[in-house]
Structure formats: C-alpha cells, structure tokens
Amino acid sequence: MGRKEDEVLELIRRNPYMSQQEMAERLKISRPSLANMISSLIREGKVLGRAYMLPEKGTVICIGGANVDRKFLLSEPLQMGTSNPVSATKSAGGVARNIAENLGRLGHEVKLLSVVGRDNDWQTIEEGSAAFMSLELTETLRELPTGSYTAVLDTDGEMMFAMADMEICDLLTPEHLSRYESVLLSAALIVIDLNCPAETVSFVQQLAESREIPLAVIAVSAPKMDRLGATLRGITWFVCNMDEAESYIGEPIKTDEQWRHAVWEFVDLGARNVAITAGERGVMAGNIQSVQHFPALPIEEMTDVTGAGDAFSSALLHGYLNTFAFPDVVKAGLTNAIKTLESPLTVRTELTAAGLKNEMEELQ
C-alpha cells in the first residue's frame, strides 16, 4: 500500500463522513483518482463502505439478550402456598450481555448488539456493562420494557425454577441487524444467543457463511431451541446443555454413547465445533475429527448456578480466539464455569486472561 493510500486511511480515520471532494482537495489529487483509490481499499477490506468505516480488527459482536437478573435464594426449604424468607439480589444479565462482559474482562474488544427499554432496568444494565463492552449498538426503545430474568434458588444455590420476559428480543429482526451489517462484516467473531428470532439466527448464519466470519450460537433454554434452523452451516461453535440438545434432536440423552451421538448429529448438520454441557457429568465436545468427553472439574463449594453456562461459553470462545488447542479450549470453559459456580456473582469480578490461565494450570 502506497503513501497516498495511507493518507486516505488517516483522513477517513479522523472523519469518516468527509466528502470525496474535500478529501481530494486535502490530498491534492483528482476526485476520480481518489474514488478509484477508495474503491480499491473497499475491495481489499481496508474500508467498509459509507460512511467509510475502518474495520475493527479483533472486535467481538455479541447479539441477543440484555436484561436484569433478579435472584431469590431461599433461606429455608420451599413451602408452597405461603411466603418464604429469601435473600434477593439484582444485577445486569442476559446471555449475550453476560458473554460480552466475560470476554471484556478477558481482554477482548466487545460490542453488544441488543435492544432494551427506556427504563430503570436499562440504567442497571448500562452501569454494570459499560466498563467491559461498547454499548453503541444497543438501542433503547419505548415499545417494550427491558428484558428480565427471575430465578428462585434452593438453599444450596441450585435453581428450582426461573422465569424470563425476553419479548423485546423479538425486535432483533434481520431488518434491525442489517443496519449494522458493515460492523458485523468487520467482526473477528459474532456471538448470537437464541433469544433472537429464528429468522434472525438464519440471517446471521448466512452472513457468516458467505463472508467466512467465525460465528458462535449459544442456546438459552429448551423451549427456544426451535429458533435454531434445520441446517447449522456457517456455525463455528454451537454450545448448549443436555436438555436443550434433547429438545432439538427429539430424543432422550441418558448414556454417554447417546451424548456422543448427539454431538455428531449437530456436526452432521453443519456446525464445525460443538459442546454439550451436562453439569457435574462434564462436557461432550468435538468436531468432524473426533468427539471426546471432558470430566467436570472439582468444585470447592457451589454458591450460585446463575451465569455458569455463560461463563463456560465465554472462556471457550476466549480459547478459540487465542488459538488454544481444542482440549484447552474446552478446559478454559470448564475452569471459568467452576470458578463462577463458586462465586455469588453472575460474572465474577476477579476474571482476567492471566488469572484464567493460572486457574487452568492449578486445576489440571
């Protein structure tokens, strides 16, 4: 690339909305020459259309749920039909948002693409998220309230049941995402959770496949597995738990052989890498080369299950982005999940890339 091209990129970097005429005058070249130069830079992927957006190398775009988590930890065993004493907490949550925060704490540049209401819950999300991700792609809307997730946990911190109001995510349509297509095309990795409508998941899959952009699809619940299409082509990583896998394939998964076969089914449908988690039984993960079982890591004391699945997905993707060997990619996920289970927080505040590396070494 020549000196003039460098000068063009510097002008665009300073002001992406500068007209070609003004740019040509600054550079003392003809406007047609400048137009040819910009066209060449666009073809090379150094500039992304109008406004002349520069590719954001290394940026992860997380698409999906951003909500407020409300957790009620029972002080005593649940008694139906009466009031039960609990300790209550409120924090920023949502699968896509949680993954974005984990990745941000691990040192990645992250942007959250979501929709939220113009309400106090959005303020909670903003306050808990802004330090770890860009929120410029998250739009506030008047039509619906910010999504919410409410969980009731037993005295040991295990989830008894949960309720999620994520209707606002239905507004994450292909038309909405197409407004940010240039940003998606520049991503090092796109992560989408299945809070998004089925047609949106399909739209992102097709975009990722056609432009060879790594894509991770993260399941959120068994009822929402119908948002995953019949083909998984274009998906670099697919992560779900055993209940979600059973819901999609329509068969029970009881034995290790059935578990292994479920991974193969997802791979056969087009996913390049698949991980199916099963709590204390560990993870079954693989690709077209092989499928293997990874035992769960030892846990000192479980405090709260909320966020453990998102922690697994996040650290797994951190390993993938840092070109870890396949077993270490999965072990990174398992390590972060265990440490999150031991924490009362949905995303643990001590998480760093160096810290995760040390924890992986300690738990081997």
Side-chain angles (χ1 to χ4, degrees):
M1 188 168 68
R3 182 173 61 84
K4 281 296 181 188
E5 284 86 353
D6 286 336
E7 292 175 357
V8 170
L9 289 175
E10 182 58 30
L11 285 177
I12 293 172
R13 187 172 285 108
R14 291 178 182 175
N15 182 6
Y17 297 94
M18 184 182 293
S19 69
Q20 286 195 9
Q21 185 60 47
E22 184 181 357
M23 210 178 294
E25 290 172 359
R26 293 271 191 99
L27 297 170
K28 297 180 179 179
I29 60 176
S30 70
R31 190 171 181 276
S33 295
L34 174 67
N36 289 335
M37 205 175 295
I38 290 174
S39 295
S40 176
L41 291 170
I42 290 173
R43 285 195 300 273
E44 293 171 14
K46 294 184 172 68
V47 173
L48 302 174
R50 294 189 61 93
Y52 303 115
M53 296 183 64
L54 301 179
E56 301 176 60
K57 295 180 180 177
T59 302
V60 179
I61 309 295
C62 294
I63 308 169
N67 54 259
V68 166
D69 285 351
R70 292 176 173 84
K71 295 183 287 187
F72 298 88
L73 177 64
L74 288 164
S75 303
E76 302 170 3
L78 177 69
Q79 296 184 49
M80 300 298 292
T82 188
S83 176
N84 289 267
V86 300
S87 57
T89 60
K90 181 177 82 168
S91 62
V95 172
R97 196 222 66 90
N98 290 346
I99 290 173
E101 182 178 342
N102 273 277
L103 288 173
R105 289 183 180 276
L106 287 166
H108 298 274
E109 292 291 328
V110 188
K111 293 188 176 187
L112 177 66
L113 201 170
S114 189
V115 284
V116 294
R118 294 185 184 179
D119 48 32
N120 291 335
D121 281 354
W122 160 236
Q123 294 177 15
T124 299
I125 294 170
E126 189 175 25
E127 290 168 4
S129 307
F132 310 104
M133 69 198 76
S134 167
L135 299 171
E136 65 187 272
L137 306 182
T138 295
E139 189 169 342
T140 57
L141 306 171
R142 295 185 184 279
E143 294 94 323
L144 291 168
T146 297
S148 66
Y149 171 85
T150 303
V152 175
L153 312 176
D154 66 17
T155 53
D156 294 324
E158 288 276 9
M159 184 177 72
M160 299 184 70
F161 62 91
M163 299 164 288
D165 175 7
M166 301 301 294
E167 184 182 358
I168 195 168
C169 285
D170 291 341
L171 300 179
L172 285 169
T173 61
E175 292 75 22
H176 183 88
L177 263 62
S178 64
R179 293 159 49 191
Y180 305 103
E181 188 168 340
S182 60
V183 179
L184 295 173
L185 291 174
S186 70
L189 171 68
I190 299 172
V191 182
I192 186 168
D193 73 33
L194 293 183
N195 282 305
C196 296
E199 59 269 23
T200 302
V201 178
S202 177
F203 169 80
V204 173
Q205 273 184 247
Q206 292 172 29
L207 182 72
E209 183 181 15
S210 64
R211 303 305 286 265
E212 298 183 343
I213 303 167
L215 169 64
V217 176
I218 313 297
V220 298
S221 66
K224 290 186 176 178
M225 287 302 290
D226 60 359
R227 301 188 174 196
L228 191 64
T231 175
L232 305 188
R233 290 179 58 183
I235 297 178
T236 309
W237 270 100
F238 175 65
V239 182
C240 69
N241 64 31
M242 194 172 284
D243 288 342
E244 293 156 351
E246 287 179 335
S247 176
Y248 185 81
I249 64 178
E251 297 177 2
I253 302 172
K254 303 298 182 186
T255 68
D256 282 1
E257 189 54 39
Q258 290 171 328
W259 193 7
R260 188 182 304 274
H261 180 70
V263 173
W264 280 121
E265 282 203 42
F266 285 113
V267 171
D268 288 343
L269 289 171
R272 288 174 56 189
N273 301 281
V274 176
I276 301 177
T277 64
E280 62 186 17
R281 289 178 64 184
V283 177
M284 194 74 75
N287 49 39
I288 197 169
Q289 277 81 38
S290 66
V291 174
Q292 59 188 112
H293 176 248
F294 296 84
L297 298 174
I299 183 171
E300 292 183 6
E301 182 179 0
M302 187 182 71
T303 302
D304 185 347
V305 297
T306 311
D310 302 335
F312 172 82
S313 299
S314 307
L316 177 146
L317 295 174
H318 168 72
Y320 166 76
L321 288 166
N322 284 281
T323 64
F324 288 9
F326 189 90
D328 289 333
V329 166
V330 180
K331 288 173 185 175
L334 284 166
T335 300
N336 198 31
I338 285 295
K339 293 298 181 179
T340 302
L341 284 168
E342 294 173 350
S343 168
L345 303 172
T346 302
V347 180
R348 57 197 182 103
T349 55
E350 72 273 18
L351 177 64
T352 64
L356 180 65
K357 182 175 182 292
N358 291 336
E359 290 164 349
M360 289 175 65
E361 292 171 353
E362 290 170 3
L363 289 169
Q364 279 188 354

